[in-house]
Amino acid sequence: MRDDETLFRGMDARSWARLVSLVAPGLAPLPPSRQVRDGSLAGGMLLVAHDGVRVLKALHTLRGVVPADGPWEGRATLTALAAQNDTRFAFAVKHDATERFMERVGGRCTMDDDAVTTALMMLNALRELMDEGSLDVLPTGLRSVPLPPVEVVRGAWDRILPDGHAAVLALFDGPALVSGVALRRRDGRVDAVHGVESLRAWCGPLGGDYRRDHRVIRAAVEQHLGPLAAGVFAPEETVHRLLRAEVPGVWAKAVAVRDVIVEPMPAWAAMATGVSAFRAAADESRRWALSADGWIARATRAVSELASSVDLESVLGFDPLGALGLVLRESRPRPAPPADE
Amino acid sequence: MHPPIRAASLRFTHLDRARWPAAVRALVALGFDAIDLPLVWRDYAHDDGSPDTARLDHDVRALLAVVRDAGARAVLRVGPSPVPDLHRLGLPDAILNDAAARSHTRRRNPRWTTDGLRMVPVPSMRSERYVEAASAWVRAACAHAGDDGVARVIVGCGDPTVLRDAPQDPDCVGLDAATADLAESEASALATFLERLATETGVDASRVVLTIPGDPLANGAAAALAPRWALGWAALHARAGVRAIWRGARLATTLPAGHHVDLRAGHAPLEAPSRATDALEVARIALAAGVRDFTLLHGCAGAGWVGAVLDDQGIARSPAARWEALLGWAHELPDGRDVHVAVPHDRAAILRARSEAVLGALPISWLSRWGFDLDDVTAAPTGALAAEDAAVAHGAPWAPVLGDAGANETTTLTAHIDPPGAALVRVVEGGGARSWVLANTGVASVNVTVGDQGRTLDAGAVAVLHEETGDA
């Protein structure tokens, strides 16, 4: 392994598939025999090509080419086609949009761009195409997710994983460590990513209770990768549920009752979960205050409004869990793994 | 007919040198008869991009000895960009940073492609600087290709690491009246580049495989090269479905000069995830469709890959036993002459369809991962899908044919399939027997009758029927 390459190690296909499909259920693997274009699978994504005047072609990732012609009338046409094909995720691409995208990327990329700069540059190019009408996307919420400046993302990254530190996510299914990842940042970039095979090898046999095993895992990761900046240890099902929750304060509550162990708890996470818990409590108080009057009610409403203005976004500069939750709540459920796995 | 090659790849630069012999022996013990050795230019380059021949020679000699000692043959995969899991396309920085070696868009911006979470400039196959440097690399990498233990030399870019089907792909120029001519020109550039590298290997043409990135049925260069060279490409991802995987693998059996198909055990870390059970199913379908020469990527990756057959220390993971069983099953598949109703894809039709692809720069190789065919995305379908549909609906053995070679073979052989078209059929004749290989492409069971034999196939199942001797 040489130069600035990231080292990926200890990744078996099953645990990695579980981890990825937790945050991207649309990428959950299915066997070829399940990939039949008869509409029997829920979800999927629709891709509509048009020339600004007429619809040229529509491709559905689970149904193949689907009938679509007639005039192109902007978002209304895309919404109607998505509804016809029972999907909530759809892209409309003007025939020259991809070439425009490649021209913009070509004019802006440099060899020295890091992953953050590259990702934001590409997202900005896509946003420009949306503004021009060359690209449209459903659900509409994705269009309004704010793109933070590079400095904000880099600053957040510095807080989440300081240089020279490691982070770990370990997910359990009952007593078994079934999925996870440990990574280390060094010289400003992630230089090592380890899967669950490495974690198992470093830890040896575990007791089967994540509320105790987290200490063993933390010690093992610190021994092999360096000081831990943050560690999250939880049942896979709990994380799956929390990522989709809309109610404020669920992460804070889960941490408070130790459904999720965050160890060590970085300052930004302590602040975010604290604010989140406070906000959840304030929401409860507000409901009570709405039926009351006088000084207590006015004070409670003021505190509640203050609480609603601060959250993970105010700590990190943007809210990655919010954007992820928006997508996950629209996604199909994660398919069950095959019985013989 | 040459003996089949059942290779597993060894990403030896990611593995401790002391573990090479054990890893090779472990793969041979699973039933692989060849070891595919990807030689990555970036790993053996001086600062100016020229090959470090001393180190390369040292490693290749040692590896060939290890493979020979294990009783296997070697496959040398020299690229450039030989496999999908490469950092910076596997090319030296001196090449990537050289403006004279870069490919450009219509407005003269550099073309970029993804490199993990970053971007990397795409070199141009028309660049004299790049062609000369790549030729020098291939010459150096093939210094031992004449060795008796080397069964194949694979040249060209591997499974589409690039955004487009090929760096000079006509797709990226968008839609205008000139694209038909341009498509022809670009396909010629790719074919010329690959043939130049093939001659630099210095080995007999019958042992060279040229890798076609993306869907070969959408690639004009593939149609031009197929009559003279064995072609290699990647089997489709599990999400493409049984039919598309079978179709791509079946195409391989019709190539006049031979084939080499890359199967997958696992994937690069930033690719869509795939389970071992899905990879095994893809391999089963491809082998049933008639693939004889293949490499399993990766048998042992060391690092940088999710789900190789052997783990990072060269020790078998739990799915290894299933791969061993699959190879044993493949040995029992019928071997002989394939009977087919050919569906030709001539070069002119491919180029015409590509130039009218309605999705502009969206790569057909990317769309093919979801099983989309060139006919799906073009305003001027070649009609191949309709012909295939007709053959399948009648239960006839069919196969696409690249280029104009291989005139339609007329046959009256048909299987009775209920419901019609729900299974794909392959017929093999040899040794006085006729065998039928069938694959169910639907989600429901299918009843198949051949002569006086009947069989029910579950969803995704593959079965073999012998007309004279009964069910295998």
Side-chain angles (χ1 to χ4, degrees), chain A residues 1-14 16-17 20-21 26-38 40 45 47-49 56-57 59-61 64-65 93 95 98-99 102-107 109-115 118-119 121-122 197-198 335-338 340-341, chain B residues 13-14 42-43 87-88 96-97 102 105-107 109-110 112 117-119 121 163-164 172-175 238-242 245 267 269 272-278 281-282 285 302-307 311-312 317-318 322 358-362 367 370-372 375-378 441-443 459-460:
Chain A
M1 201 64 65
R2 296 154 23 107
D3 52 35
D4 58 347
E5 196 170 353
T6 299
L7 183 81
F8 291 88
R9 277 198 183 277
M11 293 172 169
D12 69 297
R14 187 192 310 177
W16 193 247
V20 172
S21 59
L27 293 179
L30 289 172
S33 54
R34 291 275 308 279
Q35 303 282 358
V36 180
R37 292 175 165 178
D38 62 356
S40 60
M45 189 176 73
L47 182 63
V48 177
L56 299 173
K57 211 83 169 177
L59 309 176
H60 190 286
T61 52
V65 180
V93 185
H95 64 90
T98 41
E99 188 187 0
M102 294 309 293
E103 291 287 4
R104 281 172 202 210
V105 168
C109 249
T110 72
M111 284 282 283
D112 299 326
D113 291 344
D114 61 12
T118 302
M121 182 268 296
M122 293 177 79
E197 274 185 359
S198 294
D340 63 341
E341 193 183 60
Chain B
T13 51
H14 288 178
R42 188 178 176 84
D43 291 343
H87 180 54
R88 300 206 166 189
L96 296 172
N97 287 323
R102 286 185 181 176
T105 63
R106 207 154 41 156
R107 292 179 187 162
N109 286 311
W112 298 81
L117 296 174
R118 297 170 65 178
M119 300 287 275
L163 266 174
R164 292 165 288 277
C172 40
V173 297
L175 304 172
R239 66 182 61 239
V242 176
I245 296 164
H267 52 88
S274 168
R275 280 184 294 247
T277 47
D278 302 340
E281 201 171 325
V282 170
I285 294 162
W305 190 259
V306 179
D311 70 11
D312 297 351
R317 286 191 164 109
S318 57
R322 294 194 193 184
V358 294
L359 294 176
L362 264 190
L367 289 168
W370 278 265
F372 290 109
D375 275 4
D376 292 336
V377 296
T378 181
T441 59
V443 290

Side-chain angles (χ1 to χ4, degrees), chain A residues 157-173:
Chain A
W157 189 226
D158 285 340
R159 280 191 286 280
I160 293 170
L161 187 57
D163 209 48
H165 285 69
V168 63
L169 169 68
L171 300 174
F172 292 75
D173 186 357

Side-chain angles (χ1 to χ4, degrees), chain A residues 54-321:
Chain A
R54 296 194 63 78
V55 175
L56 299 173
K57 211 83 169 177
L59 309 176
H60 190 286
T61 52
L62 300 178
R63 299 182 181 187
V65 180
V66 293
D69 54 9
W72 171 254
E73 293 172 351
R75 193 164 300 159
T77 308
L78 181 63
T79 307
L81 286 172
Q84 275 174 29
N85 291 285
D86 304 320
T87 183
R88 281 172 286 189
F89 290 95
F91 290 84
V93 185
K94 201 172 174 185
H95 64 90
D96 60 351
T98 41
E99 188 187 0
R100 283 168 180 257
F101 176 74
M102 294 309 293
E103 291 287 4
R104 281 172 202 210
V105 168
R108 297 174 191 176
C109 249
T110 72
M111 284 282 283
D112 299 326
D113 291 344
D114 61 12
V116 172
T117 308
T118 302
L120 288 173
M121 182 268 296
M122 293 177 79
L123 289 171
N124 273 310
L126 289 172
R127 181 62 62 83
E128 288 167 15
L129 292 176
M130 284 187 206
D131 294 343
E132 291 166 8
S134 295
L135 178 69
D136 207 345
V137 57
L138 292 179
T140 51
L142 290 176
R143 285 193 293 262
S144 56
V145 173
L147 288 181
V150 172
E151 294 74 24
V152 170
V153 177
R154 209 166 271 143
W157 189 226
D158 285 340
R159 280 191 286 280
I160 293 170
L161 187 57
D163 209 48
H165 285 69
V168 63
L169 169 68
L171 300 174
F172 292 75
D173 186 357
L177 174 65
V178 291
S179 186
V181 65
L183 46 90
R184 179 179 61 196
R185 189 175 178 209
R186 186 180 276 177
D187 298 332
R189 64 186 180 83
V190 174
D191 74 326
V193 181
H194 287 263
V196 78
E197 274 185 359
S198 294
L199 293 178
R200 288 188 192 126
W202 295 341
C203 298
L206 292 168
D209 181 353
Y210 68 95
R211 291 186 178 90
R212 290 197 301 269
D213 288 341
H214 72 87
R215 296 187 188 90
V216 180
I217 297 172
R218 177 182 176 175
V221 172
E222 291 197 322
Q223 186 186 345
H224 287 87
L225 293 184
L228 205 58
V232 178
F233 310 84
E236 187 186 42
E237 183 52 41
T238 304
V239 174
H240 184 263
R241 176 172 51 79
L242 293 175
L243 283 172
R244 283 161 176 76
E246 273 185 286
V247 186
V250 288
W251 279 96
K253 184 181 170 190
V255 171
V257 301
R258 291 170 62 83
D259 280 348
V260 173
I261 303 287
V262 181
E263 180 61 40
M265 171 80 81
W268 62 267
M271 188 174 168
T273 51
V275 167
S276 183
F278 179 59
R279 185 177 161 193
D283 279 356
E284 283 295 315
S285 309
R286 193 178 184 198
R287 275 197 285 279
W288 169 79
L290 285 173
S291 60
D293 203 359
W295 180 84
I296 294 177
R298 283 199 300 279
T300 308
R301 277 199 290 273
V303 169
S304 174
E305 279 158 17
L306 175 66
S308 65
S309 68
V310 286
D311 213 330
L312 198 59
E313 186 167 354
S314 64
V315 182
L316 291 179
F318 68 109
D319 186 0
L321 288 179

